Amino acid sequence: RMRLLTNEESGEKIRLSVRDITGRIVYETELAGKENHLDVSQLSAGTYVLSAITSENNYQAKVVITR
């Protein structure tokens, strides 16, 4: 389980996707609120790119999952 904190206070939803190293989307959801928990238990250990998209911004971060 991954905890994700946002600064989103407007109530706007955030589209979140997780891509594997080949660019394939392996997880996708919408977030609402400041604190969210993502169930990444189905993902294999490895490096992923997390993308969070709002109507005004696009954020990306590298995430490494270890088991």
Side-chain angles (χ1 to χ4, degrees), residues 3-4 9 15-16 19-20 27 31 36 41 45 50 64:
R3 183 175 167 214
L4 184 68
E9 295 191 21
R15 286 188 359 231
L16 180 86
R19 296 178 184 268
D20 65 14
Y27 186 91
L31 306 176
N36 297 273
S41 63
L50 185 143
V64 177

Side-chain angles (χ1 to χ4, degrees), residues 1-8 14 31-38:
R1 191 164 129 157
M2 180 187 304
R3 183 175 167 214
L4 184 68
L5 302 173
T6 68
N7 289 332
E8 189 57 49
I14 300 170
L31 306 176
K34 289 186 167 197
E35 183 173 342
N36 297 273
H37 292 98
L38 309 177

